[in-house]
Amino acid sequence: MKVVMEEARGRAGQPMRVLTLDGGGAKGFYTLGVLKEIEAMVGCPLHEKFDLVFGTSTGAIIAALIALGHGVDPILDLYRTQVRTVMSEKTAEARSRALKTLADEVFAGATFKDVKTGIGIVAARWLTERPMIFKANVAQAHGRVGTFVPGFGVTIADAVRASCSAYPFFDRTIVKTSMGEDIELFDGGYCANNPTLYAIADAVHALCRERRDIRLVNIGVGNYPEPKPGLKRWLAKKYLVSVQLLQKTLEINTQSMDQLRQILFHDVPTIRISDSFVQPEMATDLLEHDLNKLGVLFQRGRESFASRETQLREYLM
């Protein structure tokens, strides 16, 4: 712990680059559009450019894969082939089963000891109503350093699955820690759909970096009109209202966290990318599984990058 902390302090004056990725289900295609352009701009895998990567829900999937050394193209291929498999299921049980199968296949037993850069995966505890953030580096621990275990001993697959468990559309996830505890978790979006505050807290208070030395890039999933109901039946209407309520909850959380970031950490150089699209044809939600529409979100993400390219070059090159 002492060596790690001394190394962190020794980098004072040098930029610390932080990437934070919002939750938003299938709308993560927008996130990937932005990241595709950033990766092309910097000319290397993103884990080599960013010192710390935080993600919630769909952002947790992408953050974990980046931290393990994957490029954006393989992640995009994964989303194109698997989002429909998970999101088109009709029940929470079926979606959860499909998500578990996918996570186990993609992460293949990887643990938090395998990551190539700093990481934070945000989930929420069901029983105690507190966040549970999976990290790899003891230097990111805020207390209880002596018992720190990377990722609490949980596999990356299970941590990511927990972060994505958007209850009630997915079942809650139970993980077993290295202490033998069974902890019931659900979507990290309920406590920090935008995980930027947690990332800054680690950078400033745990890793002891000066605020002025941080270069933070926060990528959302975009904002879109709500889809109109395709069915008139009462059950379909009830389902639609539930989706809208979940999305509204996550969006309020996202905006609140960003407002707090601007107040509390206004002196941390930050680029937030999450544009709004008002055209009716852009209507979508986090359970979208129309690949044509999701492809449009990917294109919109690439366009959003273009409007910040100059500033991103200043931060990252």
Side-chain angles (χ1 to χ4, degrees):
M1 173 67 174
K2 181 179 180 181
V3 172
V4 174
M5 294 302 293
E6 286 179 351
E7 288 179 354
R9 292 190 181 99
R11 292 192 300 269
Q14 300 178 17
M16 178 183 188
R17 298 181 175 95
V18 180
L19 175 65
T20 60
L21 307 175
D22 292 6
K27 293 182 291 182
F29 273 84
Y30 174 90
T31 308
L32 289 170
V34 179
L35 291 174
K36 172 65 178 175
E37 295 297 330
I38 292 178
E39 184 182 66
M41 180 185 73
V42 299
C44 66
L46 294 176
H47 76 272
E48 296 180 7
K49 181 60 63 173
F50 289 97
D51 305 292
L52 190 61
V53 183
F54 263 65
T56 299
S57 197
T58 195
I61 299 174
I62 300 169
L65 289 169
I66 287 172
L68 287 168
H70 294 264
V72 175
D73 280 344
I75 303 174
L76 178 60
D77 289 342
L78 171 69
Y79 268 61
R80 284 173 171 162
T81 58
Q82 298 297 337
V83 162
R84 183 175 178 83
T85 301
V86 176
M87 296 305 189
S88 63
E89 294 288 356
K90 302 301 183 184
T91 67
E93 181 182 7
R95 288 189 206 98
S96 299
R97 187 167 52 247
L99 178 62
K100 183 180 188 308
T101 299
L102 175 60
D104 290 343
E105 177 182 334
V106 169
F107 293 105
T111 73
F112 284 84
K113 295 180 181 179
D114 298 318
V115 298
K116 302 175 185 298
T117 191
I119 190 171
I121 300 298
V122 182
R125 297 174 184 250
W126 178 259
L127 184 61
T128 60
E129 301 165 345
R130 295 172 62 87
M132 183 170 181
I133 306 178
F134 297 87
K135 306 174 184 180
N137 190 344
V138 66
Q140 293 172 250
H142 297 265
R144 293 190 290 184
V145 173
T147 57
F148 178 87
V149 175
F152 303 99
V154 173
T155 65
I156 290 182
D158 283 349
V160 166
R161 188 162 58 90
S163 184
C164 293
S165 295
Y167 184 80
F169 297 97
F170 288 81
D171 293 336
R172 301 187 293 273
T173 296
I174 296 177
V175 301
K176 183 176 287 292
T177 71
S178 60
M179 297 285 188
E181 306 164 296
D182 289 325
I183 301 178
E184 191 172 18
L185 301 172
F186 65 122
D187 198 295
Y190 284 101
C191 60
N193 200 54
N194 176 345
T196 298
L197 284 181
Y198 290 140
I200 294 176
D202 273 12
V204 173
H205 297 293
L207 300 174
C208 304
R209 300 304 301 269
E210 296 291 337
R211 298 185 183 199
R212 64 177 179 272
D213 294 336
I214 298 169
R215 300 294 180 269
L216 193 143
V217 179
N218 171 219
I219 306 175
V221 296
N223 297 288
Y224 311 92
E226 295 178 351
K228 294 182 179 179
L231 298 173
K232 304 265 184 207
R233 291 181 295 128
W234 177 84
L235 184 60
K237 287 185 177 180
K238 182 178 179 182
Y239 178 84
L240 181 63
V241 169
S242 297
V243 175
Q244 290 173 337
L245 178 60
L246 174 59
Q247 289 215 138
K248 188 67 69 175
T249 299
L250 298 180
E251 186 57 31
I252 291 172
N253 179 289
T254 298
Q255 298 297 340
S256 297
M257 296 294 276
D258 191 54
Q259 186 177 54
L260 281 173
R261 189 268 307 167
Q262 294 177 53
I263 294 171
L264 299 175
F265 296 104
H266 58 88
D267 51 349
V268 173
T270 300
I271 302 172
R272 174 160 172 80
I273 306 175
S274 190
D275 291 333
S276 296
F277 305 93
V278 299
Q279 302 90 337
E281 61 270 21
M282 292 298 299
T284 192
D285 60 39
L286 77 169
L287 298 178
E288 182 66 65
H289 52 270
D290 181 336
L291 289 179
N292 290 327
K293 182 170 288 187
L294 293 172
V296 173
L297 267 61
F298 176 73
Q299 295 167 22
R300 294 293 180 265
R302 297 179 66 196
E303 292 166 5
S304 293
F305 161 87
S307 65
R308 283 87 164 181
E309 184 171 3
T310 299
Q311 189 179 8
L312 285 165
R313 283 186 179 278
E314 294 174 357
Y315 274 36
L316 302 177
M317 301 299 284

